[in-house]
């Protein structure tokens, strides 16, 4: 089995860097937008902002109203999701390779032109508060959180990526 990869990298005029790793194993394309803002970039008083931002990323833009991004991706037979780490927030989608251009259009619009709808903001805060409750119901999550607090005392990595309920509740 050959594990060598032909990695192609290009900086484009809007400031984005595009990295392509071609694979011809299946007629699909996976697109990811990596934003250099993760939970560790937030201060204690806004811990959870990156996670909230992740939830709002693909809600809408000026060009695509609330729900349109998901409808377009699903309409192409694709899958859309996002996640937050300590160092990055990532939006990703998997589509048929024949939908590459349309997928890039949707992804770049979401990353560069997101609009925060007040109703969606409030709904996502409720979703995140439920995620935080479920997180605290998991013994392994709590053990991991205690370990990180001890290991990373005083550092942003000591905080949970998901954020704190009190902070999310206080966000406007």
């Amino acid at each position: 089995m050959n594990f060598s990869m032909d990695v192609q990298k290009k900086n484009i005029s809007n400031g984005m860097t595009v990295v392509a790793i071609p694979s011809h194993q299946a007629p699909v394309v996976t697109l990811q937008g990596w934003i250099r803002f993760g939970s560790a970039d937030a201060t204690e008083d806004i811990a959870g902002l990156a996670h909230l931002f992740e939830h709002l990323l693909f809600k809408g833009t000026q060009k695509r109203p609330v729900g349109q991004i998901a409808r377009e991706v699903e309409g192409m037979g694709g899958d859309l999701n996002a996640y937050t780490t300590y160092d990055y927030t990532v939006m990703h989608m998997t589509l048929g390779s024949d939908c590459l251009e349309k997928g890039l259009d949707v992804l770049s619009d979401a990353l560069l032109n997101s609009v925060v709808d007040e109703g969606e903001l409030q709904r996502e805060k409720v979703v995140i508060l439920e995620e935080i409750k479920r997180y605290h119901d998991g013994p392994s999550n709590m053990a991991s959180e205690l370990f990180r607090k001890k290991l990373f005392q005083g550092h942003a990595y000591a905080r949970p990526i998901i954020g704190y309920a009190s902070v999310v509740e206080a966000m406007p």
Side-chain angles (χ1 to χ4, degrees):
M1 188 173 258
N2 182 359
F3 290 104
S4 65
M5 289 188 249
D6 176 26
V7 178
Q8 301 163 14
K9 181 178 175 182
K10 182 175 181 177
N11 295 317
I12 54 180
S13 61
N14 65 7
M16 294 177 76
T17 301
V18 176
V19 178
I21 305 171
S23 171
H24 303 285
Q25 307 228 344
V28 297
V29 61
T30 297
L31 306 172
Q32 295 185 335
W34 288 55
I35 301 159
R36 291 183 183 134
F37 181 77
S39 66
D41 295 301
T43 57
E44 185 81 15
D45 60 322
I46 57 170
L49 180 63
H51 184 218
L52 178 60
F53 173 69
E54 167 214 320
H55 277 246
L56 297 171
L57 254 180
F58 48 86
K59 290 297 180 174
T61 67
Q62 288 182 353
K63 184 171 150 181
R64 293 177 168 92
V66 172
Q68 183 65 33
I69 292 171
R71 282 191 298 273
E72 283 187 46
V73 172
E74 291 165 7
M76 291 183 276
D79 177 56
L80 174 69
N81 213 331
Y83 61 90
T84 304
T85 70
Y86 286 110
D87 302 306
Y88 295 96
T89 301
V90 180
M91 181 177 179
H92 61 93
M93 63 180 75
T94 302
L95 309 157
S97 55
D98 60 327
C99 297
L100 173 63
E101 282 188 41
K102 181 69 172 171
L104 284 171
D105 179 59
V106 172
L107 181 64
S108 63
D109 188 33
L111 294 174
L112 297 173
N113 304 307
S114 281
V115 173
V116 177
D117 174 87
E118 181 62 31
E120 287 297 312
L121 171 63
Q122 297 311 315
R123 282 187 282 282
E124 288 307 317
K125 284 174 58 175
V126 171
V127 169
I128 290 170
L129 290 170
E130 284 301 315
E131 284 184 19
I132 292 171
K133 285 180 189 174
R134 282 194 317 270
Y135 174 85
H136 286 114
D137 284 342
S140 63
N141 293 336
M142 298 316 300
S144 177
E145 187 170 326
L146 288 170
F147 179 73
R148 278 193 326 275
K149 280 183 182 179
K150 188 72 172 167
L151 182 65
F152 296 111
Q153 292 177 17
H155 190 278
Y157 282 16
R159 296 191 301 261
I161 292 170
I162 199 166
Y164 299 122
S166 59
V167 172
V168 174
E169 288 168 345
M171 288 183 185

